[in-house]
Amino acid sequence: MSPAGCSHVNSFKVENWKQNLRAIYQCFVWSGTPETRKRKAKSCICHMCGAHLNRLHSCLYCVFFGCFTKKHIHEHAKVKRHNLAIDLLYGGIYCFMCQDYIYDKEMEQVAKEEQRKAWKLQAFAPSLVSPYQYAMTGVGEKYSTWEPTKRELELLRHNPKRRKITANCTIGLRGLINLGNTCFMNCIVQALTHTPLLRDFFLSDRHKCEMQSPNSCLVCEMSTLFQEFYSGHRSPHIPYRLLHLVWTHARHLAGYEQQDAHEFLIAALDVLHRHCKGDDNGKKANNPNHCNCIIDQIFTGGLQSDVTCQVCHGVSTTIDPFWDISLDLPGSSSPFWPLSPGGDSGVVNGESHVSGTTTLTDCLRRFTRPEHLGSSAKIKCSGCHSYQESTKQLTMKKLPIVACFHLKVRTQHRCFLSIASGHPIRPGSL
């Protein structure tokens, strides 16, 4: 399917097409009332095999339900030449000619309007319902839409050059086509391409490739990517060469499966770091064991670990380089105690914590608090010359120009990535 969208939806957009589409969403997709839920449970079965599951889809041209997994809906589309069908669980529209789920602005608007109506018809308060419960009741997952704050709008108005060069050209604002499940890669690419120092480095042609095969150099591809982003073109970019090089140099990320964004960031920085060593900047390191490439200049910080003996109070200090810091959020497997003032204490999931906003400062305070290692983790003290209990405290000896924080909520089995440019790190940034 081309970036312009599906060209086959016009065959469906005939007289009263919106009313017909609304009826399907109301009765068979977003079930807002008990009556519609009963109707969906009784009538939504495959007209070929009689199954309820197997990703049922409804034809948009006639009354026909078919299994997507067993390709019964595909057979119907081929025989009747009905090119469009709708997923009865998530509401997505599939085109059999494009062989992909499609996006159409008018159809999406109808879907959102009917989903909002279904939420309002629910007998319980939406704020008390989890996304999982929403999916089980047939109204889909409820996500809050992002709206710019007054401060963000004011910043955009006072910095027009950050958005546009001319009326017909944009600067740095360009979409990326999803190649399967590569949203994890796209979000990191967007963050890297909008890192000011990295942008200035690549747009000034500072990279001098010394690899025997430049086509396999990830830094060269990133340089091309920056040129594409800041070329002023409005059409979405397809990062297929970047994906291929990632697969080549980080084989654990190869394949079309969904991957972790944090893992991709570290793998990308590692490959960029290795490929930058041949640059002039990489060779100008004062310390032969330290790289001075653009990646290390921007992203590398120093993490200090102080281990204090509980008997003689001797301190053993080590400093290790880091590209990112992993921070726990409320709900993680280990106890969490936010320190933001003005909150009320409570217990969630068996953990005592403070309700309200959790700031980045809270997470950093927790990360840098002293930790008693206990009797099962005794270390040999250089002062006592014997194994003693000790405490360990982590601090950031050297802050990187761009600090990357990996935010963890383990009980929800998902990770979030935050990249904060510059320092000092401001509280309340989460």
Side-chain angles (χ1 to χ4, degrees):
M1 187 171 62
S2 69
C6 176
S7 60
H8 307 104
V9 294
N10 292 331
S11 62
F12 173 73
K13 290 183 177 181
V14 294
E15 186 178 1
N16 296 327
W17 71 270
K18 285 189 177 181
Q19 289 84 340
N20 296 335
L21 186 62
R22 288 184 189 279
I24 296 175
Y25 274 113
Q26 290 172 1
C27 298
F28 306 116
V29 183
W30 314 134
S31 304
T33 64
E35 292 75 16
T36 56
R37 288 197 290 274
K38 289 179 182 178
R39 185 188 300 119
K40 180 177 180 178
K42 291 181 179 180
S43 59
C44 288
I45 60 173
C46 178
H47 289 179
M48 288 186 129
C49 66
H52 282 83
L53 303 176
N54 297 324
R55 292 181 60 193
L56 277 179
H57 283 56
S58 170
C59 176
L60 288 185
Y61 299 88
C62 65
V63 181
F64 181 88
F65 300 148
C67 298
F68 193 92
T69 305
K70 295 182 178 179
K71 296 189 179 299
H72 292 155
I73 190 69
H74 297 71
E75 295 175 20
H76 171 81
K78 184 177 180 180
V79 173
K80 298 292 185 178
R81 295 185 178 180
H82 293 172
N83 299 327
L84 300 177
I86 184 170
D87 186 333
L88 295 182
L89 181 59
Y90 297 105
I93 295 177
Y94 188 88
C95 176
F96 294 95
M97 299 295 290
C98 298
Q99 297 183 3
D100 198 0
Y101 287 94
I102 64 170
Y103 171 82
D104 180 81
K105 187 176 181 179
E106 292 181 309
M107 289 183 168
E108 184 74 10
Q109 185 62 32
V110 171
K112 287 182 178 180
E113 290 174 359
E114 295 305 322
Q115 191 176 37
R116 291 192 190 100
K117 291 179 183 177
W119 287 336
K120 292 179 180 179
L121 291 173
Q122 290 294 339
F124 38 73
S127 59
L128 302 177
V129 183
S130 67
Y132 177 79
Q133 289 173 310
Y134 266 107
M136 292 300 99
T137 54
V139 295
E141 295 188 7
K142 185 175 182 180
Y143 296 102
S144 58
T145 57
W146 174 84
E147 294 291 341
T149 63
K150 291 182 179 180
R151 174 171 171 76
E152 289 169 337
L153 289 173
E154 195 67 24
L155 287 172
L156 290 173
R157 279 194 291 266
H158 284 82
N159 295 276
K161 291 183 179 180
R162 300 292 295 178
R163 293 180 292 135
K164 292 186 177 181
I165 301 174
T166 65
N168 299 320
C169 184
T170 58
I171 178 170
L173 303 180
R174 192 170 185 184
L176 289 168
I177 295 294
N178 196 359
L179 303 172
N181 291 311
T182 57
C183 52
F184 69 95
M185 179 184 76
N186 291 350
C187 71
I188 297 301
V189 168
Q190 290 283 4
L192 293 178
T193 52
H194 290 89
T195 301
L197 289 178
L198 203 60
R199 175 199 63 199
D200 295 343
F201 174 86
F202 282 110
L203 294 183
S204 58
D205 291 331
R206 297 288 299 277
H207 171 60
K208 307 298 180 185
C209 184
E210 294 188 4
M211 294 185 67
Q212 294 181 353
S213 177
N215 291 332
S216 63
C217 178
L218 186 63
V219 187
C220 291
E221 178 56 28
M222 284 297 294
S223 180
T224 304
L225 190 67
F226 272 86
Q227 294 172 17
E228 290 289 341
F229 256 81
Y230 291 91
S231 63
H233 296 304
R234 292 186 173 185
S235 60
H237 179 65
I238 306 174
Y240 64 94
R241 292 192 72 253
L242 177 66
L243 181 63
H244 172 71
L245 286 175
V246 170
W247 288 359
T248 303
H249 297 290
R251 295 188 178 277
H252 62 288
L253 297 176
Y256 288 99
E257 295 82 12
Q258 181 64 267
Q259 302 288 349
D260 183 65
H262 170 248
E263 187 177 3
F264 175 82
L265 171 68
I266 299 305
L269 292 180
D270 179 63
V271 177
L272 288 170
H273 159 74
R274 287 189 276 117
H275 290 187
C276 277
K277 283 186 176 181
D279 278 354
D280 292 337
N281 289 331
K283 296 176 180 177
K284 291 179 182 177
N286 296 325
N287 185 344
N289 297 321
H290 174 68
C291 178
N292 197 39
C293 69
I294 188 63
I295 299 301
D296 279 314
Q297 288 184 50
I298 297 176
F299 296 99
T300 299
L303 186 65
Q304 179 171 319
S305 174
D306 295 318
V307 179
T308 305
C309 176
Q310 295 296 286
V311 177
C312 68
H313 302 290
V315 180
S316 174
T317 300
T318 57
I319 300 175
D320 297 310
F322 72 90
W323 277 336
D324 71 307
I325 296 291
S326 292
L327 301 174
D328 287 323
L329 287 175
S332 61
S333 58
S334 54
F336 191 90
W337 41 276
L339 303 173
S340 296
D344 297 323
S345 60
V347 177
V348 176
N349 295 331
E351 296 180 5
S352 177
H353 73 97
V354 179
S355 61
T357 302
T358 300
T359 68
L360 182 57
T361 302
D362 293 333
C363 298
L364 289 171
R365 283 176 178 167
R366 183 186 184 279
F367 178 79
T368 57
R369 70 180 180 181
E371 177 187 5
H372 185 67
L373 297 181
S375 57
S376 61
K378 291 182 178 180
I379 62 169
K380 188 173 183 179
C381 176
S382 57
C384 302
H385 302 289
S386 60
Y387 288 92
Q388 305 290 349
E389 292 188 19
S390 59
T391 59
K392 180 180 179 180
Q393 184 173 19
L394 297 174
T395 54
M396 279 173 268
K397 176 70 174 178
K398 175 181 176 292
L399 281 174
I401 297 174
V402 175
C404 304
F405 297 105
H406 172 221
L407 308 179
K408 301 181 295 182
V409 186
R410 296 177 184 169
T411 57
Q412 295 181 4
H413 302 286
R414 59 179 67 174
C415 293
F416 303 89
L417 182 74
S418 174
I419 298 184
S421 297
H423 59 272
I425 299 167
R426 297 191 181 113
S429 59
L430 292 183

